[in-house]
Amino acid sequence: MTDAGKSEPSPVDRNSLRRFAWLIATVAVGFGALLPWFRGRPVPEWPWVAGSVMFLWGWLHPRSLRGPFSLWMLVAKGLAWVNNHIILAIVFFGLLWPLGAALRILGRDPLARRFKEQTPSYRVRSQSRPRDHMEKSY
């Protein structure tokens, strides 16, 4: 790990580059050719050509795809950062915050965090378990 807390980029092997090329080929054929076919439009030829070229390129000389692969990974990391923050915001503001607000309105305190002046101690004694409670853990 570096000082900034980010890990060093790992070297890209031939199989990763080959899978990247085949993924791009599959996406080109899938979206470019099959999507118009599902919509009842004529199937264009360019996706098949582009997919075939990318498939062969990845099969014959995958190391030459390091540049596009690195660019693809930069875009993927950026999209992952955005998606994570959007999903976390949706979970927080759509689920946790309304639940907390509803519990406050109803006067519930499931964690028992309210201050009680009359209480001598906030310690909660744990329940003792029998010695054989882990005999059959399945």
Side-chain angles (χ1 to χ4, degrees), residues 6 13 18 37 39 48 59 64 97 113 116 137:
K6 295 184 180 181
D13 60 342
R18 191 169 279 145
W37 180 67
R39 291 183 165 188
W48 295 98
W59 188 31
S64 63
W97 185 77
R113 295 182 347 169
K116 299 172 189 166
S137 58

Side-chain angles (χ1 to χ4, degrees), residues 79-137:
L79 289 175
W81 186 87
V82 169
N83 283 339
N84 284 337
H85 285 77
I86 289 172
I87 290 169
L88 288 174
I90 289 171
V91 168
F92 179 76
F93 289 111
L95 181 72
L96 297 176
W97 185 77
L99 182 64
L103 287 175
R104 271 193 211 105
I105 290 170
L106 295 173
R108 301 269 324 262
D109 187 19
L111 296 178
R113 295 182 347 169
R114 287 201 185 111
F115 179 72
K116 299 172 189 166
E117 290 186 28
Q118 312 305 335
T119 306
S121 172
Y122 285 103
R123 179 172 182 238
V124 178
R125 291 197 172 265
S126 62
Q127 300 271 337
S128 299
R129 294 185 181 179
R131 295 185 127 217
D132 61 346
H133 81 280
M134 288 297 287
E135 286 290 322
K136 294 182 180 179
S137 58

